Amino acid sequence: MGVVKRGLRVGLETTWTLGKIIFPITLIVTILGHTPALDWIARMLAPVMGWIGLPGEAAIPLVLGNILNLYAGIGAILTMDLTVKEVFILAVMLSFSHNLLVESAVAAKVGVRMSVILAVRIGLALISAFVINLFWQGGQEMAQYGFVSAAQQPELNSWLAIGWDGVTSAALGIFQLALIVIPLMVVIQVMKERNWIKIMSKAMRPLTKLLRVQENTSTTLVSGLTIGLAFGAGVIIQAAKEDGISKKDMYLIVIFLVACHAVVEDTLIFIPLGIPVWPLLIIRILTAILLTLAISVIWDRVEKKQKLERKETSYEY
């Protein structure tokens, strides 16, 4: 029972930490969703959509997906007449960059600069869209959506009702988070005290070796890849405290995960759009690996250069 109590305590502390981030952001964003603010942002972005092969109206699902979540972005796509290529570009962009405020704030909690996270996610979305539009000449047929309804937001007639909707949405988000994070932290506490984490670390060795990071990042990798950044944040934050992950490895792992997380859920969710999801999954995984490796190589070269400069300076004295 001692290990369960310790896991529950860690789970509650983690939920409280995440709740202080998620509640205000969800509240503000939900309120914005009932105002003309998101439509105004979409209109501002419309002129640049042509650069990445999208019509002006495609700015609406991008804004909704980034400010709210993937479901909101997909719901908006389902109301539009778009080609397969246009839908695929939107899906790739949203897979890299969605729920931007909450997930980026959570990822930043482990010490990675939020500006880095935002730059990676938005940069990957824009670059991938530009490359796909440039090189893919097919997909000109109209997209055939699956049997799924695009639910409309209820119309609320007062600021009090809108505010209450924001509070309930934020509270529900934290409740859902707690349902996942608390049991997960109990399981992880048991795994740690029974040394099962070491077994998992060995199983993840090929991936950690490929990414040029230490094996103590395996727990963070597993949680991020399976349940995502927001729900996996509890594990990531706890690992940063307890597993002795270096600053370099934490940056590399977070960058990898912001590019490729919740790989099953965030891939299957696009099936109703009638696009090929295997290429979407492959693009995410390959991009995440190549980006992480590139940053790792650059980081190592910068560190070597700094060491040489320090040695030269010490010789001068």
Side-chain angles (χ1 to χ4, degrees), residues 145-214:
Y145 304 132
F147 295 100
V148 61
S149 62
Q152 298 293 319
Q153 285 187 323
E155 187 174 341
L156 303 177
N157 299 318
S158 69
W159 284 108
L160 181 62
I162 291 173
W164 178 247
D165 185 56
V167 170
T168 53
S169 296
L172 180 61
I174 294 175
F175 177 69
Q176 291 173 332
L177 181 76
L179 289 179
I180 293 176
V181 168
I182 294 175
L184 185 62
M185 298 310 290
V186 171
V187 171
I188 287 176
Q189 191 68 32
V190 172
M191 291 176 69
K192 283 183 176 179
E193 297 195 15
R194 296 188 178 180
N195 292 323
W196 293 348
I197 292 291
K198 291 183 178 178
I199 298 174
M200 185 175 67
S201 297
K202 290 180 180 178
M204 291 292 292
R205 187 177 293 170
L207 180 57
T208 55
K209 187 176 181 180
L210 175 63
L211 297 178
R212 297 161 61 101
V213 295
Q214 298 300 313

Side-chain angles (χ1 to χ4, degrees), residues 79-230:
T79 66
M80 299 178 179
D81 293 325
L82 300 169
T83 66
V84 170
K85 180 177 180 179
E86 290 166 347
V87 174
F88 187 75
I89 289 174
L90 283 172
V92 172
M93 292 184 75
L94 288 172
S95 70
F96 283 129
S97 177
H98 59 265
N99 201 6
L100 206 56
L101 298 178
V102 171
E103 290 190 351
S104 298
V106 164
K109 193 68 181 176
V110 299
V112 179
R113 289 183 182 178
M114 192 166 182
S115 58
V116 173
I117 298 169
L118 291 172
V120 169
R121 301 192 72 183
I122 296 173
L124 286 177
L126 292 173
I127 293 170
S128 62
F130 181 80
V131 171
I132 292 169
N133 181 51
L134 185 65
F135 291 102
W136 186 23
Q137 303 303 318
Q140 301 305 317
E141 66 276 14
M142 298 304 295
Q144 300 296 317
Y145 304 132
F147 295 100
V148 61
S149 62
Q152 298 293 319
Q153 285 187 323
E155 187 174 341
L156 303 177
N157 299 318
S158 69
W159 284 108
L160 181 62
I162 291 173
W164 178 247
D165 185 56
V167 170
T168 53
S169 296
L172 180 61
I174 294 175
F175 177 69
Q176 291 173 332
L177 181 76
L179 289 179
I180 293 176
V181 168
I182 294 175
L184 185 62
M185 298 310 290
V186 171
V187 171
I188 287 176
Q189 191 68 32
V190 172
M191 291 176 69
K192 283 183 176 179
E193 297 195 15
R194 296 188 178 180
N195 292 323
W196 293 348
I197 292 291
K198 291 183 178 178
I199 298 174
M200 185 175 67
S201 297
K202 290 180 180 178
M204 291 292 292
R205 187 177 293 170
L207 180 57
T208 55
K209 187 176 181 180
L210 175 63
L211 297 178
R212 297 161 61 101
V213 295
Q214 298 300 313
E215 288 183 19
N216 59 357
T217 61
S218 59
T219 309
T220 303
L221 274 172
V222 169
S223 62
L225 283 169
T226 53
I227 59 177
L229 283 177

